[in-house]
Amino acid sequence: DGGITQSPKYLFRKEGQNVTLSCEQNLNHDAMYWYRQDPGQGLRLIYYSQIVNDFQKGDIAEGYSVSREKKESFPLTVTSAQKNPTAFYLCASSKRLRTAQETQYFGPGTRLLVL
Amino acid sequence: QKEVEQNSGPLSVPEGAIASLNCTYSDRGSQSFFWYRQYSGKSPELIMFIYSNGDKEDGRFTAQLNKASQYVSLLIRDSQPSDSATYLCAVKDTGNQFYFGTGTSLTVIP
């Protein structure tokens, strides 16, 4: 089955700790994205990557870091600099083609909670 | 900043009625428009997309696009309790970036 997987489903972070959220896709998509969703709010873009070994900051990149060493993988690290990390984190992917029909597909999400 | 506006609701409709969800966007250069459904605690799932002016139908769902008015809507016919969810409008620009509204909460009352 093709799709996007995220792990873990729930993640608990202690004060001052860095944590890494995993995102893997087997859809052969070039582009991958990380969003954050807070209750009652829309999706806000953290980072995105259109190609391996390249990524760009989104609207709320401060306190987060990413890497894109493989086409299939786009892990997100929430650093201790992110003071309010409690949220639902969504990974998405799409083909890189800039056609009108091309859409984003989402993984199941990771819920991050602060202890 | 490219903005996508939706009424947050909640919108309540009786079972079997038509639910109408609306979305406006600020960027006239937007390329295509998407509706996602998100159940509580779950990730968004794509319902349908539209990129040409007019109507596009898929089963009980109809998306309507008016680029001149920068307006896109989603109609759900014969609404079912299982349609109760938050509906997210998303707009894609020519740079392949997506912008999301805050969502409209829909409740279908049996």
Side-chain angles (χ1 to χ4, degrees), chain B residues 88-108:
Chain B
L88 301 175
C89 173
V91 174
K92 186 170 77 166
D93 66 14
T94 53
N96 221 30
Q97 290 305 302
F98 286 73
Y99 300 88
F100 290 83
T102 55
T104 298
S105 174
L106 172 67
T107 300
V108 180

Side-chain angles (χ1 to χ4, degrees), chain A residues 33 35 37 40-43 45 48 50 59 88 90 94-104 106-108 111, chain B residues 1 31-34 36 38 40-46 49 51 88 92 94-103:
Chain A
Y33 309 79
Y35 294 93
Q37 187 176 38
Q41 296 194 31
L43 278 64
L45 183 64
Y48 65 100
Q50 302 274 22
D59 299 322
F88 189 39
L90 289 159
S94 71
K95 292 181 184 176
R96 194 182 173 198
L97 298 174
R98 296 184 179 184
T99 58
Q101 302 92 317
E102 203 49 60
T103 188
Q104 279 188 354
F106 286 88
R111 196 165 296 278
Chain B
Q1 179 75 341
Q31 185 181 47
S32 45
F33 310 85
F34 303 81
Y36 288 84
Q38 187 175 25
S40 181
K42 303 295 185 182
S43 64
E45 55 179 326
L46 180 69
F49 67 89
Y51 54 88
L88 301 175
K92 186 170 77 166
T94 53
N96 221 30
Q97 290 305 302
F98 286 73
Y99 300 88
F100 290 83
T102 55

Side-chain angles (χ1 to χ4, degrees), chain A residues 7 16 18 27 38 49 52 55 60-61 89-90 98-99 105 112:
Chain A
S7 63
N18 292 354
L27 299 168
D38 294 281
S49 169
V52 174
F55 49 83
I60 55 165
Y89 290 86
L90 289 159
R98 296 184 179 184
T99 58
Y105 298 92
L112 176 60

